[in-house]
Structures are given as structure tokens and as C-alpha cells.
Amino acid sequence: MSKIILDNNIEELTQILTERYKVPSFRAGQLYKWLLAGVDICQMTDIPKDLRTKLDEDFVLNPVTISKKLTSKDGTIKFLFGLHDNNLIEGVLMNYKHGNTLCLSTQVGCKMGCVFCASGEGGFVRDLSAGEMLGQVITAGAKDISNLVLMGSGEPLDNYDNVVKFLRLVTDEKGLNMSRRNISVSTCGLPDKIKKLADEKIGVNLSLSLHATTDENRQKLMPIARTYSIAEVMKSAKYYFEVTGRRITIEYCLTKENTTMFDVKRLAELTKGLPSHINLIPLNGGTKSNIIACTKEQAQRFADRLITAKISNSIRRSLGTDIQGACGQLRAKFVGCKEGKNDLK
Ligand code: SAH
């Protein structure tokens, strides 16, 4: 059994409380309400003290705490979250017109090694459990969050079972009951897992990190492109759309190399017959790669050319650049990219 109590849904919690602690099932409802509100055990006043003591001994009740919180000039909040084993992960809370979006992490570190991304700089440490993902939402202030993006550190589909479990927990009507339409899973493109996720019928949005239009160029940016071709990845994205009916978001970092007229033509070919929107992402610096970012003018010209080619797109507003807003940057700063070193000053 998991030590992290939030890994359980209300039915599982009821079973634990009635079978293990021999208390009436209504206690599970009381406990779950407090846990989802992020309330400390000593404030769960309607639960008997001896039960609280036992739960506190047997479980991690509050798996995600705030180690550091930085607020950007634009209102973006970057969290450095601490886990029960002293690992650190990041979350970013962004304020948009339509509400607050939390960008959360799915792994400590990452195996994928995309050259522009800081998440994997210290290597891969471990997967997060479903309850640790839910804990990020709770600790960041669930009641004020309307949208979730699984775009923090880690590759969600490389931690498939826990991510699916989390998606079910967070959309559970007896839990936080968040709308599946307001949740996006971002992936570097693992075709089999994309198809499997489609078949789960959860109905969340899929964001595909494409970043290049030829296998050769994609391989320079993303090691995973050596395993799966763009053709295979796009085929799985088409399958995702066919099964879920959800329009696919394609994420595309803007570099000098991948924003030519040829790329416009290729993007038109690749997205033909696939309802999609391209999110153009200004490259966020701070990593050690030698890729050259586009200027603002080049980015705008590329966006205009895509529009002329009738390809729906938008340039993503960069938020939180003054607080190491992009994936892994804040954690990389604090852990010195070394696993286990957790010295916050
Ligand atoms: N592993 C998943 C989710 C995490 S990254 C994925 O690959 O999609 C979320 C998005 O931010 C991805 O599109 C990723 O490629 C992009 N990203 C990472 N570092 C970046 C940087 N420094 N500048 C711009 N985009 C970045």
C-alpha cells in the first residue's frame, strides 16, 4: 500500500478506514474533504484525535510543501515544491483571462534529454505518484485553479500509470472535479502511449512537442526522435483526435533553424487532415544548448506565413522569464543539477 494517502480515491480511502482502522465509512468523506483542502492534520477537528495520530504515523498526509515561492512582475508564481523524501520539483501558476493555469511536474528530473530543456539536467531521479501530482494542485491552491497543464518537469507518458491515475483522481466528481477539457497532457511524442491514452477515454487535451519538421532536425533537439519518426508520432496524434474528438495542440519552439519557408510547407503537410493548433514558443534561455533563438520579428514573420498557409497558430506569451519560468530552470538552480542536494538559501 502506498504511503501517500492522496494516491487513494474516496472509495479506496473508505476501504482503508473501515477495514484497517475499523471506523465508520463517513470518516472517509470527512478526511478526504480536509485532504483536498490542504488542511493540516491538527486542524481536522471533526476527526477523533487517536485516528488522526494513527493516520499521521502510517501515511504521508501532505506530500507536497512549498520550499520556495517566487512571484514575477507579470503575476506568474513559480513554486519550488518539496516532497516527503526531500526531492524538489517545480510548478508554475499562470494568470490568464480565462482563469489560473497550474503547470505541474510528473517526474523528478527527466529521461528525455531535450537539448533546450533544463528539466533533465540533473538526470532522472524518480516518477511522481498520482497523489504527488494531486498534492501540487492542492498546495498551489486548488479552488483558484481552473486549468492544468502537465508541462512541468518530466515526461508524463513515461510515467503513464501514475499520470492516468492522477487524471482520474483530479477529474473525479467526488474529488476536485476539475474539467477534463481544461487539462492538457504535454508529451515529447511516445506513439504507443498516445494511442493508449486515447483509448482510456479520459478526454483530456493532448499537446505534442514537435519542435521540428524533419526527423534529421528533430533528432538534433530531441533524442527521442531517434526512436520514433515524425510520421509515427503524427499518426498517433491523428488517432488521438479520431478517438477523443479533441483538437491537438502542437508545440513548436522557435529557433533560427526551424522557421524557414520549407518548415511552413512541411507543417502544412504534417497537419493536413488533423484539426490542430500550433503553439509557437519563444525559446526560453538559461540552458547550455547552442541553439539560436528567433528574434521577435522572425517569430512574427513565421507566424504570419503559417496563417497565409491556413495553419492555425499563436505565439505563446512568455510568462515568468524573470523567475526562471521555463521547465526545470528553477530546480536546476537550487539543486545545482545534482540529485539529493537540497540546499535552499
Ligand atoms: N515532457 C513533456 C512536457 C514537459 S516540457 C514534453 O516534452 O512535452 C513542456 C514544453 O515546454 C515542451 O513543449 C518543451 O519542449 C518546452 N520547453 C522546455 N524547455 C523549454 C525552453 N527552454 N524554451 C521553450 N520551451 C521549452
Side-chain angles (χ1 to χ4, degrees):
M1 194 179 55
S2 166
K3 264 190 80 70
I4 292 165
I5 204 158
L6 285 172
D7 284 341
N8 300 288
N9 63 23
I10 184 70
E11 287 79 21
E12 290 161 335
L13 208 55
T14 306
Q15 199 182 351
I16 293 170
L17 290 191
T18 53
E19 289 176 12
R20 186 167 169 174
Y21 300 104
K22 314 280 183 233
V23 299
S25 58
F26 74 86
R27 293 281 176 222
Q30 289 176 317
L31 176 66
Y32 204 42
K33 189 190 75 195
W34 290 124
L35 291 171
L36 293 178
V39 164
D40 190 75
I41 187 91
C42 59
Q43 290 170 310
M44 299 183 184
T45 44
D46 57 2
I47 298 176
K49 222 170 176 182
D50 56 335
L51 177 60
R52 281 192 263 160
T53 308
K54 279 187 227 144
L55 287 168
D56 200 27
E57 278 166 15
D58 295 347
F59 289 98
V60 174
L61 297 171
N62 185 8
V64 177
T65 54
I66 298 174
S67 286
K68 202 163 182 73
K69 185 173 166 183
L70 301 177
T71 306
S72 161
K73 290 193 269 290
D74 61 33
T76 303
I77 298 171
K78 182 114 195 192
F79 293 102
L80 193 62
F81 291 127
L83 304 176
H84 66 98
D85 60 359
N86 286 333
N87 271 304
L88 294 170
I89 48 165
E90 303 179 352
V92 188
L93 192 60
M94 295 160 286
N95 190 251
Y96 292 110
K97 277 192 283 289
H98 55 266
N100 288 328
T101 298
L102 177 71
C103 171
L104 59 98
S105 293
T106 55
Q107 294 176 320
V108 184
C110 185
K111 294 177 205 161
M112 298 302 145
C114 301
V115 295
F116 44 78
C117 182
S119 295
E121 273 186 27
F124 172 74
V125 182
R126 70 169 175 89
D127 283 331
L128 295 184
S129 78
E132 288 175 312
M133 293 177 226
L134 190 65
Q136 294 172 65
V137 184
I138 294 167
T139 302
K143 68 176 176 19
D144 300 319
I145 297 169
S146 53
N147 294 61
L148 297 177
V149 291
L150 278 62
M151 286 190 189
S153 65
E155 165 50 43
L157 300 187
D158 182 44
N159 183 14
Y160 186 87
D161 292 341
N162 290 337
V163 164
V164 165
K165 189 164 187 203
F166 162 68
L167 295 173
R168 295 200 195 286
L169 280 176
V170 80
T171 56
D172 187 346
E173 50 188 36
K174 292 182 215 127
L176 290 180
N177 195 18
M178 291 192 75
S179 163
R180 37 200 86 214
R181 307 208 151 216
N182 291 354
I183 302 176
S184 296
V185 172
S186 181
T187 177
C188 63
L190 308 178
D192 296 343
K193 300 284 171 57
I194 289 175
K195 288 189 222 150
K196 201 169 166 200
L197 186 65
D199 292 335
E200 303 275 356
K201 302 269 162 45
I202 305 178
V204 292
N205 303 305
L206 184 77
S207 293
L208 174 65
S209 300
L210 189 65
H211 302 319
T213 64
T214 64
D215 288 326
E216 195 192 341
N217 284 342
R218 196 163 188 260
Q219 284 164 12
K220 288 186 209 157
L221 300 173
M222 307 173 74
I224 194 70
R226 289 180 219 139
T227 310
Y228 302 111
S229 68
I230 290 179
E232 278 173 278
V233 176
M234 292 310 293
K235 203 169 154 205
S236 68
K238 282 190 179 133
Y239 181 81
Y240 194 89
F241 170 75
E242 279 157 19
V243 173
T244 64
R246 307 297 298 152
R247 186 176 74 155
I248 306 294
T249 299
I250 292 175
E251 288 168 274
Y252 201 84
C253 269
L254 296 162
T255 75
K256 276 223 158 97
E257 271 213 322
N258 70 0
T259 47
T260 64
M261 270 312 282
F262 172 75
D263 293 302
V264 175
K265 191 171 135 261
R266 280 287 295 154
L267 281 171
E269 287 163 10
L270 290 170
T271 57
K272 198 162 173 250
L274 175 68
S276 53
H277 179 82
I278 303 189
N279 233 333
L280 300 169
I281 318 175
L283 199 66
N284 203 321
T287 52
K288 286 174 248 119
S289 73
N290 50 8
I291 328 157
I292 306 168
C294 267
T295 62
K296 265 200 170 130
E297 293 69 33
Q298 286 165 333
Q300 193 53 57
R301 194 169 59 215
F302 187 61
D304 292 343
R305 284 175 172 170
L306 290 175
I307 292 293
T308 308
K310 300 202 165 41
I311 303 171
S312 160
N313 75 86
S314 47
I315 301 179
R316 190 190 286 171
R317 207 155 48 100
S318 272
L319 292 174
T321 43
D322 53 334
I323 52 166
Q324 279 88 28
C327 302
Q329 289 179 354
L330 185 64
R331 174 174 174 271
K333 190 173 155 191
F334 279 102
V335 298
C337 294
K338 271 191 211 85
E339 181 190 339
K341 195 172 147 213
N342 178 0
D343 101 51
L344 284 178
K345 292 206 180 79

